[in-house]
Amino acid sequence: MANHRLPNHDIISLSAVERREIEAECRHYPKRQAAAIEGLKVVQKHRGWVSDGSIQALAKFLEMPVGELEGVATFYNLIFRQPVGKHVIMVCDSVCCWVKGSDPLTQHIGNRLGIKPGQTSEDGLFTLLPIVCLGDCDRAPTLMIDGQQHGHVDADKLDQLLLELEPEIQLMEVSDG
Amino acid sequence: MADNADITFSKPLTGLIREDRSPLTLKEYRAGGGYRGLEKAAKKMSPDEVLEEVKASNLRGRGGAGFPAGLKWSFMPRDDKAPRPRYLVCNSDEMEPGTFKDRLLMEGNPHQLIEGMACTAYALGAEIAFIFLRAEYSVAAANISAALKEAYDAGYLGSNILGSDFSLELHLHTSAGRYICGEETALINSLEGKRANPRAKPPFPQVSGLFGQPTVVNNCETLCNVGHIIDKGADWFKSLGLGSDSGTKIMGVTGNVKRTGLWELPMGTPIRELFEGCAGGMADGYSLRGFLPGGASTDFLLPEHLDLAFEYDVIGKAGSRMGTASLILLDDKTCPVAMVRNLTHFFAQESCGWCTPCRDGLPWSEQILDRIERGQGSMEDLDTLAWHTQFMAPGNTFCALAPGAAEPIQSALKYFREDFERHIKEGTCPWH
């Protein structure tokens, strides 16, 4: 199944654990393809992101065309088609959090880590992404780190959260004014 | 127990939910009257009787559209020759900005949703059901999973529920993002493992939905009401509403108020009671300029509308929609143009790209709003914006995303036109 349009040809094989977890999802549906999104999430859970090789292996496992699975994978924003950092920070940029200062908060995080939204820090520890409304609007501004939500976040709380995750890191000096 | 019974009489949805939202166990839910509705349905009522009870209750869809739930169900073929399997899907993809009500219901009392879904599936003769849950609600996912296990073990789900010949498989599906998944036909495509593009209607999902089979999709809050309606009756549910709508509604307030949060109030409660009585009015130093009454995709209303009854038709007549009943406030310290730019950015980003007015019209609108906000707009830009809202109007697009996106734009142009014009005339944002 050579595909010259894909940059890497490392057709991986799914691990036994991945196959078991995806198979459990397949059982909920009359067609294996219906487990595509859950399958992508399983792969991402174990590997951190979904590579071209993973797409090919998963498509084969789900008995669906590679191209179609690629179309699904790129549609959903929480499927990562590029490697991400050890920690993924997602800051809500929707209206309620915006009113309560999500823009300066995002800027503060970026300054602290030396990255812009969409980037990963050079040490590979943090990826910063914008995210739509997290449904936690009464605690705005909110963000999610590694799947866990935090509300009423300000610059001090954010610094504390970063240091709890990675006590060794040197936060860059910033002037948020 | 008497106390619990009283609480669920006036606040059926949230009365039992704890302050810290730790989930009610099956035992606790039952002690508060839980699963009485399902017991009554499965043991004493026919599926038609359950459907008629819900129809008589005038329960309207709590996801935003307000379509009568019983009527929606009645479009599903249910006779002996009707296709099988039939599906019930709970739409828990809560992604409307400013909306966080279903999260409370699923985190705090997942059994209430399971009971509502079981009663609904009984009425529909559906044997397979899914909860379609947005990815970020991981606490809800864990609490629902634990409750599903308890419900299967206790015989409220699975084969021959409560000794009847009714069987139901209920699965939790967690999604991977994208607002468009909340549109019911896009949700069905997503549940089939596809890109979440909406489908053409007809055929409607009740006839040909998930995997081509008859399917009903209801919002989480809608379904949470069903067990209570069966248990306490349609007349009780109707008596809860203060005006023409039945039941209670979980209403929210966000923004610069004294207290943000969620409150379960009777349908038809004056908006002022929610805004001032529950949320305490504006925080010190802020005054109210307007509000989106039902999430990001609804038209702005003004302070003069605060005395309206919060119910579907009244808000509709005032030129907006009740939507999800989550007030998003515009205060005097916030620039209305920048706020609408933020809203439009969301909708432009979340467009699935399937049809032109949405895919092209929304990014175009966002660019115009950005230009105006930066003081580089022209008066013609306002006409172009208004023109886009007409192109995105209902009937011109495949689904309701773009018409919803047009609502805050068109109403901001109506109510805050002076602010747009000041940006253009002064060449800068007056709020900067």
Side-chain angles (χ1 to χ4, degrees), chain A residues 41 71 75-76 93 133 138, chain B residues 134 174-175 178 194-195 260:
Chain A
K41 288 174 72 171
F75 186 89
Y76 295 93
D93 67 358
C133 180
D138 54 341
Chain B
R134 68 173 296 187
T174 63
S175 185
R178 298 308 293 271
K194 298 172 180 164
R195 290 167 77 97
T260 55

Side-chain angles (χ1 to χ4, degrees), chain A residues 42-114:
Chain A
V42 167
V43 169
Q44 184 163 297
K45 183 178 78 180
H46 291 287
R47 296 167 193 259
W49 66 294
V50 181
S51 68
D52 295 341
S54 301
I55 292 271
Q56 299 202 22
L58 181 61
K60 195 173 174 193
F61 188 71
L62 295 175
E63 296 163 12
M64 68 188 285
V66 176
E68 199 171 342
L69 184 61
E70 166 75 354
V72 171
T74 53
F75 186 89
Y76 295 93
N77 59 296
L78 294 172
I79 302 298
F80 303 140
R81 287 289 280 113
Q82 288 178 36
V84 290
K86 181 178 166 195
H87 306 289
V88 178
I89 305 174
M90 298 193 290
V91 187
C92 172
D93 67 358
S94 291
V95 63
C96 303
C97 287
W98 172 80
V99 167
K100 293 285 186 88
S102 62
D103 279 353
L105 181 65
T106 304
Q107 202 167 356
H108 175 81
I109 302 170
N111 290 344
R112 277 296 198 210
L113 301 173

